[in-house]
Amino acid sequence: MAAEGQGPTAGEYIRHHLMHLTSQKQDFIVDFSVINIDSVVFSVLMGMLGVWLLWLGARRATSGVPGRFQAAVEILVEMVDTQAKGVIHNAASRKVIAPMALTVFVWIFFMNAMDLLPLDLLPALWHSAAPALGFNDHLRVVPTADLSTTLGLSVSVLLMCLFYNIKIKGLGGWAHELVTAPFGTSKNPLWALLLGAVNFLMQMIEFVAKTVSHGMRLFGNMFAGELVFMLIALLGGFAALSFTGGLLFVGHLITGTVWAIFHILVITLQAFIFMMLALIYLGQAHDAH
């Protein structure tokens, strides 16, 4: 990563931290044969943690005065249920979609929260264990800073939207909507064919745009937050190498603390936004144009 006997430069340090633990070397920008093992492992672990906490909250629920943990879970469930009722007007669908939205919020929150761990903690531990296991020493611990994770989540929402479009409107009704909305149709066969093609194209563009922007929004915010933590870590590194290290170290502590506190809001807000957009898109799948 750097010349022998020397530490990495700032650029090398950042590039190293942006490399994934992968199943094989990636030769192209888009290579679906490559699996980012670190993103898969940490997303599964955070999902298990979220499910366990929700299960624990349900198991410990009592009808008396709730404790702080039960109260927190109840507030969270009520918040998600209220949002679901506001956009999903089908009670039967809400029985599936509301728990899904709750799971998504908790899961994404915990994946985002991995950004609050000390930047070099887990990568340093992995660096000492990787050679013995036969892996490279790259490791990224924030799954939502990986575009493949966030696009995977948004594509899952897209598949649910397609399912509910067909379930609620019927295959024929949805197909009719694809060629008649948003510009309507015409009694003239030629104009009807032209409008149908334009409507279908606009619908496909809408589905693709919503899916890509849904995943990119979460990825962009978490990737930027990760980069800021790297820059703050570099500030601490420069403090150890400079004569004015004392001032830089104080700046490192202040900026790190301020950004970490602010980032708590970011990770929560991004989880909420992703959940709300999923609810809105699923609500649109229930509404006829």
Side-chain angles (χ1 to χ4, degrees):
M1 187 172 65
E4 185 176 353
Q6 297 180 355
T9 65
E12 291 170 337
Y13 176 84
I14 291 176
R15 282 195 298 271
H16 180 76
H17 275 283
L18 292 179
M19 296 292 290
H20 284 280
L21 173 63
T22 58
S23 58
Q24 63 188 58
K25 184 180 178 181
Q26 183 170 338
D27 297 320
F28 306 98
I29 295 178
V30 178
D31 190 344
F32 292 104
S33 65
V34 176
I35 299 174
N36 292 338
I37 300 174
D38 43 13
S39 295
V40 173
V41 170
F42 285 114
S43 62
V44 170
L45 290 176
M46 293 303 100
M48 293 172 62
L49 175 61
V51 169
W52 177 73
L53 286 175
L54 292 175
W55 171 82
L56 190 64
R59 186 167 180 261
R60 293 184 176 181
T62 61
S63 57
V65 179
R68 283 178 291 183
F69 177 65
Q70 180 181 337
V73 173
E74 288 179 353
I75 291 172
L76 180 60
V77 171
E78 184 178 356
M79 181 270 293
V80 174
D81 187 59
T82 300
Q83 299 300 328
K85 287 179 179 178
V87 293
I88 309 293
H89 304 299
N90 186 306
S93 297
R94 225 171 28 243
K95 292 180 180 179
V96 176
I97 294 176
M100 180 277 299
L102 176 64
T103 304
V104 164
F105 176 81
V106 173
W107 189 19
I108 293 179
F109 174 81
F110 280 123
M111 287 194 289
N112 292 349
M114 292 295 289
D115 215 4
L116 297 176
L117 292 176
L119 183 65
D120 289 301
L121 176 61
L122 294 182
L125 294 175
W126 178 247
H127 179 75
S128 60
L133 298 174
F135 291 102
N136 61 55
D137 65 343
H138 298 130
L139 187 72
R140 293 184 69 182
V141 302
V142 187
T144 44
D146 179 6
L147 186 58
S148 61
T149 300
T150 59
L151 284 182
L153 291 169
S154 63
V155 168
S156 299
V157 174
L158 171 64
L159 294 177
M160 290 190 68
C161 289
L162 299 180
F163 170 78
Y164 277 106
N165 267 302
I166 296 173
K167 180 181 179 181
I168 300 300
K169 303 166 187 175
L171 184 58
W174 183 48
H176 179 265
E177 182 180 280
L178 287 177
V179 296
T180 57
F183 299 121
T185 186
S186 173
K187 293 181 180 180
N188 185 305
L190 182 60
W191 278 108
L193 181 62
L194 179 60
L195 285 171
V198 173
N199 286 329
F200 183 80
L201 179 61
M202 293 298 293
Q203 291 272 4
M204 293 303 104
I205 292 175
E206 180 182 354
F207 279 122
V208 172
K210 288 194 297 188
T211 302
V212 173
S213 63
H214 198 190
M216 286 289 291
R217 180 181 288 103
L218 176 59
F219 160 75
N221 281 278
M222 297 313 301
F223 184 80
E226 189 179 39
L227 281 178
V228 172
F229 276 120
M230 291 180 193
L231 295 175
I232 293 173
L234 285 172
L235 184 62
F238 284 125
L241 299 174
S242 65
F243 293 108
T244 58
L247 293 177
L248 287 175
F249 184 72
V250 172
H252 166 74
L253 290 179
I254 294 175
T255 54
T257 302
V258 171
W259 180 247
I261 294 173
F262 176 73
H263 209 57
I264 295 173
L265 173 63
V266 173
I267 64 178
T268 307
L269 185 61
Q270 289 306 312
F272 179 78
I273 289 174
F274 193 95
M275 178 202 73
M276 281 303 305
L277 287 175
L279 287 174
I280 291 171
Y281 295 157
L282 288 167
Q284 291 175 345
H286 286 71
D287 299 331
H289 286 275

